[in-house]
Amino acid sequence: MILFILRGRQENGGTTAGKGTLAFASSSSLGRCLSRSRIYPEYHKKDLILHDGVKIGPAAVIAGADISYIRGSDLFFAAVVLLSDPDMQPLAEVHAVGRVSFPYIPGLLSFREGPVLLKAFENLQQVPDLVIFDGQGIAHPRGVGLAAHLGLFLDIPAIGCDKSRLCGEYRDPGPCPGDHEDLLYQGQVIGSVMRTKARVRPVFVSPGHLISLGRSREVTMRCCRGYRLPEPIRQAHLAVNRLRIASQ
DNA sequence: GCGACAG
DNA sequence: ATCTTGTCGC
């Protein structure tokens, strides 16, 4: 087993690898994803990669990733869906299934869900310009939530869009879609609590990798189509549940 | 010791 | 996250 020492360091609102404080164990899947060229043969298309301050082009591809499993079972189902931006039309869907033994520990979710998710990413034939994860970005006690962790491994711009809070304090955002409040943790703004739809609980948005908080919100809102969750996450969620049901 | 705690 | 029925509301 290899240990990677990573630290989520805020830089222009995003994260970069740095010397740091948080030790992440890598499974075989995590390790394999270190060699990106093996996963994505066409990774050289750097011009498609979004960095903060650069608008996502009309031909951009946004991915959503999620996990599902059966209670009492260690079998996990992962899916990554690719949607066109801004149309949100499905372009591709890949899966992975795997046994997971790492327990759920708040703050260490990426150890549990990361390996199977990355296994699904390996099946992609196209590099997404950005990934939205069903988890926190830098809104994490150590600054490295699932979206920040996997964004770093994949080296793709990533956003964390979660349904509930891990850490930080906030006030309820306004009632209109797009309304948002800061998520504060130890005197720092680590994310936004944003209303994506009227009369539903807000979501927790935070930068994962190579993107600012403001743009994270912007992309998240642009991906919303009348539901609480942005389409990439919603479609990924539907995909993993289809996969799980089909396996029973 | 107590409360909080992504999924 | 999963399990689980009905039910309230647009």
Side-chain angles (χ1 to χ4, degrees):
Chain A
M1 176 178 286
I2 308 168
L3 278 184
F4 294 97
I5 310 300
L6 298 176
R7 180 191 192 179
R9 179 160 54 89
Q10 278 185 258
E11 192 169 276
N12 295 325
T15 54
T16 63
K19 342 118 219 185
T21 54
L22 187 55
F24 280 143
S26 110
S27 72
S28 53
S29 290
L30 285 167
R32 243 177 285 133
C33 278
L34 283 176
S35 56
R36 292 185 298 276
S37 57
R38 279 186 51 194
I39 312 163
Y40 304 126
E42 62 278 67
Y43 184 73
H44 62 277
K45 293 179 182 172
K46 288 257 185 186
D47 51 302
L48 286 179
I49 299 296
L50 170 104
H51 287 278
D52 188 48
V54 180
K55 260 215 176 332
I56 296 180
V61 176
I62 299 184
D66 198 16
I67 287 271
S68 170
Y69 58 92
I70 303 164
R71 184 175 64 172
S73 162
D74 60 352
L75 201 56
F76 277 48
F77 304 88
V80 179
V81 298
L82 260 42
L83 303 181
S84 62
D85 174 71
D87 317 90
M88 293 296 110
Q89 293 304 306
L91 301 175
E93 176 178 326
V94 293
H95 309 135
V97 178
R99 304 272 173 195
V100 173
S101 54
F102 200 94
Y104 169 65
I105 300 170
L108 299 183
L109 181 65
S110 47
F111 289 130
R112 182 167 166 83
E113 297 196 346
V116 183
L117 276 175
L118 290 178
K119 223 168 98 177
F121 271 94
E122 290 180 46
N123 295 323
L124 284 177
Q125 298 298 308
Q126 182 183 11
V127 189
D129 298 306
L130 179 148
V131 188
I132 304 183
F133 286 97
D134 188 352
Q136 308 289 353
I138 61 172
H140 175 280
R142 308 302 295 266
V144 194
L146 178 73
H149 194 164
L150 297 194
L152 279 161
F153 266 89
L154 297 168
D155 196 22
I156 293 176
I159 295 172
C161 178
D162 225 320
K163 298 178 289 300
S164 62
R165 179 199 77 122
L166 209 211
C167 65
E169 310 99 48
Y170 62 95
R171 304 187 317 171
D172 278 342
C176 302
D179 286 350
H180 58 90
E181 291 285 345
D182 288 342
L183 179 61
L184 293 164
Y185 185 66
Q186 296 177 345
Q188 293 271 325
V189 178
I190 58 171
S192 289
V193 185
M194 183 169 69
R195 191 85 60 193
T196 52
K197 179 188 179 186
R199 279 177 236 82
V200 299
R201 289 179 306 154
V203 297
F204 297 75
V205 178
S206 59
H209 189 50
L210 298 173
I211 193 167
S212 69
L213 176 55
R215 190 164 300 277
S216 296
R217 283 196 307 267
E218 177 190 320
V219 172
T220 299
M221 277 312 297
R222 192 172 64 236
C223 289
C224 286
R225 291 295 182 278
Y227 294 90
R228 181 189 180 213
L229 297 177
E231 284 305 297
I233 295 281
R234 205 174 76 82
Q235 294 301 329
H237 195 70
L238 293 171
V240 290
N241 282 323
R242 281 195 301 267
L243 192 60
R244 181 170 57 80
I245 301 300
S247 79
Q248 298 182 342

